[in-house]
Amino acid sequence: MARSHLSRPTAGALALIAILALGACRQAGSTSNSPGGGGSPSTEPSSAASGAASLEPSASVAASEAEPTESLPAFACAPSVTIATTTDRAQITDVRVGTHAGYDRVVFEFASGLPQTVIKPVLPPLYADPSGLEVDGTGTAFLQIVMTYGTKVTPEGSVTYAGPTNFEPDFDQLAQLIEAGDFEAVSTWYLGLKGGGCTRVLTLADPSRLVIDIAS
């Protein structure tokens, strides 16, 4: 049988190609030790956000609240924002506020899933639900938050959130967060702002949270 021979220059070239290919495979299979960035800060400066920058008024972010990062979606000056429901009933377990460089933050935490939520600007006077009594709001501009089947009261009548319902933190933009009603599993809150700041609305999982950032 005839035996084929490769010239020395050809054999050397093939050897070099093999070495380069092996190096590329090793590089592709390696993992980076650089810290991962993703996080949406929480009210106690803390959250990891995985959403890429977007002009959409809301974005889904799967992670816990951690250090602020540039991966957060952009702020949007939308007339209103609607968040779709992910559960039949979202029990409120915590409400908190916080401030960060460039924005203030409001967080609603739920036992499981998110309620259908509409966030929109409103003009005073502000009214309580269902009494219709006027709410004493603080600020020069206001956002109304209505959470359908988002409530702190269980069907049996027990309460899953017994914390504050009137926050007056006097942040750069957020002057007040106040509850205006929790009736028939519909919860209404108002944000009192010091101006007409644009917002960024995020949804977080594990635990379920609705996050509202107000640009300052």
Side-chain angles (χ1 to χ4, degrees):
M1 179 182 295
R3 179 179 299 174
S4 63
H5 295 275
L6 294 176
S7 66
R8 290 186 177 179
T10 303
L14 291 177
L16 178 59
I17 292 172
I19 292 171
L20 292 176
L22 179 60
C25 291
R26 289 178 177 172
Q27 183 177 2
S30 63
T31 57
S32 171
N33 291 324
S34 60
S40 76
S42 101
T43 56
E44 2 9 278
S46 60
S47 176
S50 61
S54 167
L55 294 179
E56 293 297 324
S58 66
S60 180
V61 180
S64 61
E65 299 162 76
E67 291 295 326
T69 74
E70 295 179 358
S71 66
L72 288 171
F75 287 94
C77 301
S80 65
V81 176
T82 299
I83 302 297
T85 183
T86 63
T87 185
D88 292 337
R89 191 182 184 98
Q91 291 295 149
I92 300 172
T93 58
D94 196 15
V95 181
R96 49 191 183 268
V97 300
T99 187
H100 303 281
Y103 62 94
D104 300 329
R105 168 163 288 195
V106 173
V107 177
F108 292 93
E109 186 170 314
F110 305 92
S112 179
L114 298 168
Q116 176 179 307
T117 305
V118 177
I119 305 166
K120 64 180 182 180
V122 292
L123 295 174
L126 312 177
Y127 296 104
D129 178 38
S131 68
L133 297 176
E134 191 169 329
V135 174
D136 187 15
T138 301
T140 59
F142 298 92
L143 293 177
Q144 182 191 58
I145 305 167
V146 177
M147 295 179 282
T148 303
Y149 292 108
T151 175
K152 63 185 183 183
V153 182
T154 68
E156 296 74 31
S158 61
V159 174
T160 55
Y161 171 69
T165 56
N166 185 12
F167 301 82
E168 295 185 309
D170 194 27
F171 293 155
D172 288 344
Q173 182 65 278
L174 180 64
Q176 183 183 38
L177 169 66
I178 185 169
E179 183 190 61
D182 193 328
F183 179 68
E184 293 184 345
V186 177
S187 182
T188 303
W189 295 71
Y190 289 105
L191 296 181
L193 309 178
K194 297 179 181 180
C198 298
T199 60
R200 171 174 59 209
V201 181
L202 312 174
T203 59
L204 304 175
D206 301 323
S208 300
R209 281 154 293 165
L210 172 66
V211 178
I212 306 166
D213 292 339
I214 308 101
S216 58

